[in-house]
Amino acid sequence: MKVSDRRIAEWWEAPGIEARDAFDEEILYLNALTEEIALPRWAILVRDRMPRWGFEPCAHRFLEGLEQVLAMIGAGRVWARFGGCGDVPLSVQRKLDAFGAALVQWSDNGGRAAGDPLVRRLGAHTADRAEAARAMGEVILGIGRGPAEVDAVLERWAERAQFSPARILVDGEEAPLAVIAHHPCAYTLLWNVERLAHCIGNGEPPSAVVCVPALRIAPKLDPERIAILREIGDSLADWLQERTPRTVIGQKVHALIGPRDEVRHWLVASLYKTLKLWQVHLDNVLGEKHDYLSLI
């Protein structure tokens, strides 16, 4: 199956790859294989679902999505994948809705919501805190209703906010609530909400952490996220070198990938390369250094 140049370029939309002239020798090698191997359509579609911008390690379900890609390689077919932009797990959405409802209820006069762990972070009920809490609650509830709804809520609050705490939360694209609303897929979503409530209650400058900055704090906030990513990468390297898996996760990775053939070898090498790009990026973000398998 012939693969268009445009599609090949789109595969590598990842850290360190800004244009075709940024392709390194490993990418050129993997791209060249697309013309040498009789690639079935399912393989092309699986390759399209591998990590790149829009399917990133900061997403709630990045690891679940990555496991799905491994399973697709083994099954020889493709299906919907978790972990993309805007993907919010039902469990997270449920907590988010509860947070939003509690904030709106507390903003009225405290009431029964005063005992909620989140709103306790807001401190004493005052007019400025109440306004900020209502803005926060309405934006959070809007996230579950889709981008158009949440943008309308943000715009409405940007126009009507009277006190400084609420204005800071909603004014501009980089305002904390705007950042959260436009990146609900970040694993830091609920942590950001709790953090903003704390900032309101303590009069601290509010901010939200998503995307690359969220990866910077992952070793403390969600250490397993990075550890499992690296272990999957190591397991793929072992598979490519026909080595016995060294860990239980490695055994599962190899089992998911399935039998060896040239199509799966190309897919596994491509997946390893995408994870390698992300891991090198993480090394730069975290100030670490790791050794990686060369594909050529």
Side-chain angles (χ1 to χ4, degrees):
M1 178 178 182
K2 187 170 179 61
V3 185
S4 71
D5 289 344
R6 179 179 177 182
R7 194 163 194 175
I8 288 175
E10 289 173 347
W11 283 348
W12 302 109
E13 293 175 345
I17 306 299
E18 298 178 358
R20 295 186 194 191
D21 56 4
F23 287 178
D24 60 27
E25 292 184 1
E26 290 182 330
I27 291 178
L28 294 175
Y29 162 71
L30 292 169
N31 288 349
L33 289 180
T34 64
E35 301 299 328
E36 299 176 11
I37 301 172
L39 292 173
R41 179 172 173 76
W42 70 263
I44 302 296
L45 295 176
V46 169
R47 181 61 185 78
D48 286 346
R49 283 157 175 75
M50 292 184 185
R52 62 185 188 188
W53 296 123
F55 176 36
E56 307 164 27
C58 55
H60 289 290
R61 295 198 280 195
F62 174 77
L63 292 175
E64 289 89 337
L66 190 54
E67 189 170 346
Q68 287 177 308
V69 172
L70 292 167
M72 291 179 208
I73 294 173
R77 60 188 179 89
V78 69
W79 54 82
R81 187 215 64 222
F82 291 142
C85 283
D87 177 25
V88 179
L90 295 177
S91 59
V92 173
Q93 186 63 58
R94 188 170 185 270
K95 291 180 181 178
L96 196 64
D97 290 345
F99 280 173
L103 288 164
V104 170
Q105 185 180 33
W106 182 87
S107 70
D108 290 334
N109 57 15
R112 288 178 299 172
D116 185 277
L118 176 69
V119 299
R120 282 204 298 267
R121 297 172 182 264
L122 297 169
H125 190 277
T126 61
D128 57 344
R129 288 174 180 167
E131 183 184 58
R134 177 167 285 278
M136 190 171 159
E138 290 185 5
V139 170
I140 287 171
L141 291 172
I143 290 174
R145 302 182 186 121
E149 173 70 18
V150 78
D151 282 346
V153 175
L154 284 166
E155 184 176 348
R156 185 166 65 249
W157 271 104
E159 293 174 352
R160 81 181 195 190
Q162 297 180 354
F163 297 103
S164 178
R167 285 199 301 271
I168 293 173
L169 286 173
V170 299
D171 191 12
E173 293 184 1
E174 299 303 317
L177 283 179
V179 170
I180 289 175
H182 295 148
H183 300 87
C185 49
Y187 81 94
T188 51
L189 177 60
L190 298 177
W191 177 80
N192 275 321
V193 172
E194 294 174 344
R195 190 163 171 262
L196 289 182
H198 172 84
C199 290
I200 292 170
N202 289 272
E204 299 174 1
S207 62
V209 182
V210 298
C211 301
V212 172
L215 293 176
R216 191 171 290 116
I217 62 174
K220 289 185 177 180
L221 201 60
D222 188 3
E224 289 299 296
R225 175 176 297 269
I226 305 300
I228 294 174
L229 167 60
R230 293 198 183 280
E231 194 165 347
I232 291 174
D234 290 342
S235 300
L236 294 176
D238 287 340
W239 190 92
L240 290 168
Q241 298 173 93
E242 300 188 20
R243 291 180 176 175
T244 301
R246 292 170 283 176
T247 65
V248 173
I249 286 182
Q251 292 172 0
K252 182 169 184 179
V253 168
H254 287 206
L256 285 170
I257 292 171
R260 297 178 185 277
D261 56 41
E262 61 179 7
V263 172
R264 286 185 174 84
H265 187 277
W266 174 74
L267 283 168
V268 172
S270 297
L271 180 56
Y272 178 77
K273 179 60 177 178
T274 64
L275 295 186
K276 183 177 177 180
L277 289 169
W278 276 105
Q279 289 181 91
V280 170
H281 182 63
L282 283 168
D283 287 346
N284 294 330
V285 168
L286 301 174
E288 298 179 355
K289 183 174 177 58
H290 295 80
D291 294 325
Y292 302 101
L293 172 69
S294 173
L295 296 176
I296 55 176

